[in-house]
Amino acid sequence: MYFRVLAIMLFGCISAAHARDWTIGVLALRGDAQAQTHWQPLVDNLNQQLPEQHFQLLPLDLHAMKSAVAQNRIDFLLTNPAQYVQIDSHFPLRWLVSLRSSHEPDGTSRNIIGSVILVRADSDIHSPQGLMGKGVGAVSPEAFGGYLLGYKALRDAGLQPEQDFKLHFSGFPVDALIYLLRDRAISAAIVPTCLLEDMQAEGLIHARDFRPLLAKPPTIPCLTSTELYPNWSFAALSHVPDELADNVTRILLSPSDNQPLLWGAPSSTSQVETLLRSVNQHPQQPYFWQQIADWAQQHRLLIAAIALILLLLGANHIWVAFLVRRRSRQLEQLHQQLRAKENALEQAQRLSILGEMASGFAHELNQPLSAIQHYADGCAIRLQREQADHALLPILAQISQQAQRGADTIANLRLWAGKSPAHERATISQPLHELLKHLWQLLGAEQHQPPCQLHTEIDPQIVLHLPPTLPDQVLSNLITNSLQAGARQLWFSAHQQAGWAILTLQDDAGGLTPEQLSQPFAPFRSTKSEGLGLGLVICQRLITSQGGNLTLRNEVAATGNRGLCVTLMLPLTPTKELTFVTDSST
């Protein structure tokens, strides 16, 4: 007995601990008094079935319900599915049951919420387009049946309610819209489906005084201008205990005489969410971009025309840009060709002047050089008669030889300048190793800074038949270029191949740049501060005047350093007549 009393006391303590007041927030669509009257039987039934708990009703409008949920001032709520979706996105709810239709004997219809667009029966407005510029009333921009569904129906009819109408939002209770329309304060009203029938049943209005502007075949005995959506639902907030939520659900799903409302399993919100997205009211929807998408959908023909115009303008711009670019390239090519021709003409003029100067110098210097040679030869003859071993005889012979060398060099200059000799000049044959030794000593290569070492590999059977001093001029110029470039090693080789003598001069001084190699024989281009840029030009023309060829390329020397490799190709058979060959690169 003692334990039984203790258990009863413990159970009572636990029940008292869990007992508390529970507030049910209800959307007061037709005002607080009507909401209190309509839903009070539900509250009484819950209090009777759950005597250890206490339930009370709190009528709210749209904004007040959101605030009450955020502040935890209510524990349950009764509202339409659109507001459930909007609140549930921020504050998790548990949808317990959904209400069935009260306008059918058996209450089998789930979908009962809709909008009807009403005008007065005697109105001259017979289509949605007749509302242009007129006053249209609604409950609130967020009201589901009181605006959003009717808004979508009007928009689907090709109208823009925000722009085409003078919207008037009356707020709760929604009955005020019917009275405003009756009194001609507005031209049309967007009201929830079945409101007109309910107000007539209550003796507040005469339904015959109004007619729907848009009418759809109803599935319930109420006028509607839109499709119908799931009815109101009963939801619990997250802090409500699971046991209490289960008990409330069980009571609502159990028919009784004290419960005139018919409840069923919770309805899906997918249809409602689709509708909210289409009218830019879904809480997870970027409102700005959806507005743009809606505008684009409604003005798709205009957008298509604009897109076509922009496409044509873009294509025209691309075509014009292509023509301008092509013409610019053509003009640039013509400009480069003109500059090349100007440069070629300028060089030709300078070469012509240089040729005339060389011819004049040769003419003027030939006479004194000839006189020097004659005087030296005359003195040598006289001294030889007096004394055959006179000490001045070798000196006079050197003077005569150098005068003849100067005359031959001048003759080569006349040949380079394009002046054919008056008679065929004699050719000389001189061993290459002796010529190189003479030039090496003459140029003082071993005392040059930095010092340079010569390596030779010469075929002793090679015999060159060239005008006097021509090989001296060419080889001395090439050796001087290598020494001035800083060569430390110089390799000279000569061999014959298929009637040609091939002479190769390789240094390790770094070689030429790609730009220099592209036009190596262009005159008046020199990297030396005191150079005229004519050394290689003279060598190349002297070699080509003998039917040979001179080429330049960069190669890696035997020491591993890069250097310039000069190749001379000369015919082994002497030419009967000396000719001047013009190189197109100069």
Side-chain angles (χ1 to χ4, degrees), residues 23-36 39 56-80 83 87 139-140 143 171-174 232 237:
T23 302
I24 302 174
V26 60
L27 185 63
L29 186 63
R30 297 184 60 190
D32 293 356
Q34 195 275 343
Q36 193 77 39
W39 295 106
Q56 59 185 357
L57 201 65
L58 178 62
L60 300 167
D61 62 15
L62 292 171
H63 297 288
M65 180 167 285
K66 293 180 180 178
S67 176
V69 172
Q71 298 172 8
N72 279 333
R73 291 193 292 111
I74 60 175
D75 308 293
F76 299 89
L77 61 85
L78 270 166
T79 186
N80 61 62
Q83 192 174 33
I87 294 177
V139 178
S140 167
F172 292 159
V174 70
W232 285 30
L237 272 68

Side-chain angles (χ1 to χ4, degrees), residues 44-226:
D44 294 342
N45 185 40
L46 291 175
N47 286 328
Q48 183 181 358
Q49 298 290 333
L50 298 172
E52 70 277 7
Q53 308 292 342
H54 180 260
F55 296 88
Q56 59 185 357
L57 201 65
L58 178 62
L60 300 167
D61 62 15
L62 292 171
H63 297 288
M65 180 167 285
K66 293 180 180 178
S67 176
V69 172
Q71 298 172 8
N72 279 333
R73 291 193 292 111
I74 60 175
D75 308 293
F76 299 89
L77 61 85
L78 270 166
T79 186
N80 61 62
Q83 192 174 33
Y84 171 85
V85 171
Q86 293 172 338
I87 294 177
D88 184 62
S89 64
H90 302 289
F91 307 98
L93 302 175
R94 284 177 288 177
W95 195 299
L96 304 181
V97 290
S98 293
L99 192 63
R100 297 293 186 260
S101 172
S102 61
H103 291 271
E104 295 176 313
D106 54 359
T108 56
S109 296
R110 288 174 174 267
N111 291 359
I112 188 65
I113 295 182
S115 291
V116 57
I117 305 170
L118 294 175
V119 295
R120 285 179 55 88
D122 58 357
S123 174
D124 58 352
I125 301 173
H126 297 280
S127 67
Q129 283 69 26
L131 294 175
M132 298 286 288
K134 303 295 180 59
V136 178
V139 178
S140 167
E142 299 178 358
F144 188 46
Y147 177 66
L148 294 179
L149 294 177
Y151 165 84
K152 183 178 184 299
L154 292 171
R155 193 186 65 180
D156 292 344
L159 299 175
Q160 285 296 312
E162 301 95 332
Q163 303 173 9
D164 298 336
F165 309 150
K166 297 177 182 178
L167 286 171
H168 173 76
F169 295 107
S170 63
F172 292 159
V174 70
D175 301 24
L177 289 171
I178 300 294
Y179 298 138
L180 289 173
L181 180 59
R182 181 194 63 184
D183 298 338
R184 303 181 189 274
I186 55 178
S187 299
I190 303 174
V191 297
T193 298
C194 294
L195 175 66
L196 184 67
E197 289 77 9
D198 289 343
M199 292 181 69
Q200 175 171 283
E202 296 168 8
L204 300 176
I205 60 169
H206 296 290
R208 64 178 179 271
D209 294 337
F210 308 93
R211 59 179 170 83
L213 189 59
L214 289 173
K216 280 185 172 291
T219 58
I220 58 174
C222 298
L223 297 176
T224 181
S225 300
T226 67

Side-chain angles (χ1 to χ4, degrees), residues 324-496:
V324 171
R325 184 175 179 83
R326 184 175 68 176
R327 186 59 178 168
S328 299
R329 287 199 300 265
Q330 292 174 350
L331 292 175
E332 181 65 23
Q333 292 175 356
L334 292 175
H335 177 71
Q336 293 178 357
Q337 293 175 3
L338 180 60
R339 290 294 302 168
K341 291 180 179 180
E342 288 179 352
N343 292 336
L345 179 61
E346 181 181 354
Q347 292 179 0
Q349 291 175 346
R350 296 171 70 178
L351 286 174
S352 177
I353 295 173
L354 185 62
E356 294 297 329
M357 292 175 61
S359 179
F361 290 156
H363 177 73
E364 295 298 330
L365 292 176
N366 268 334
Q367 291 183 358
L369 286 174
S370 180
I372 291 172
Q373 185 178 19
H374 291 160
Y375 282 128
D377 291 342
C379 289
I381 293 173
R382 289 187 179 184
L383 287 176
Q384 191 174 16
R385 290 176 180 174
E386 294 178 1
Q387 184 179 348
D389 57 349
H390 198 281
L392 293 177
L393 287 176
I395 298 175
L396 291 174
Q398 286 291 331
I399 293 174
S400 177
Q401 182 181 356
Q402 292 303 318
Q404 181 61 45
R405 179 182 177 86
D408 293 337
T409 302
I410 290 174
N412 291 335
L413 282 177
R414 289 178 57 85
L415 184 64
W416 173 82
K419 304 295 184 180
S420 299
H423 55 84
E424 184 176 347
R425 298 173 62 200
T427 60
I428 62 171
S429 300
Q430 183 179 9
L432 279 176
H433 65 278
E434 293 183 3
L435 175 60
L436 280 175
K437 181 179 180 181
H438 171 71
L439 292 176
W440 198 254
Q441 294 176 351
L442 182 64
L443 295 174
E446 295 181 351
Q447 288 76 34
H448 192 273
Q449 292 298 327
C452 184
Q453 184 177 3
L454 177 65
H455 307 273
T456 59
E457 184 180 351
I458 302 173
D459 186 351
Q461 298 181 357
I462 295 179
V463 178
L464 298 178
H465 302 276
L466 297 172
T469 72
L470 187 146
D472 303 45
Q473 283 183 264
V474 173
L475 293 178
S476 62
N477 196 306
L478 297 177
I479 293 174
T480 300
N481 286 342
S482 296
L483 293 176
Q484 292 178 348
R488 295 179 178 274
Q489 304 285 338
L490 196 64
W491 292 267
F492 181 83
S493 64
H495 63 279
Q496 53 185 339

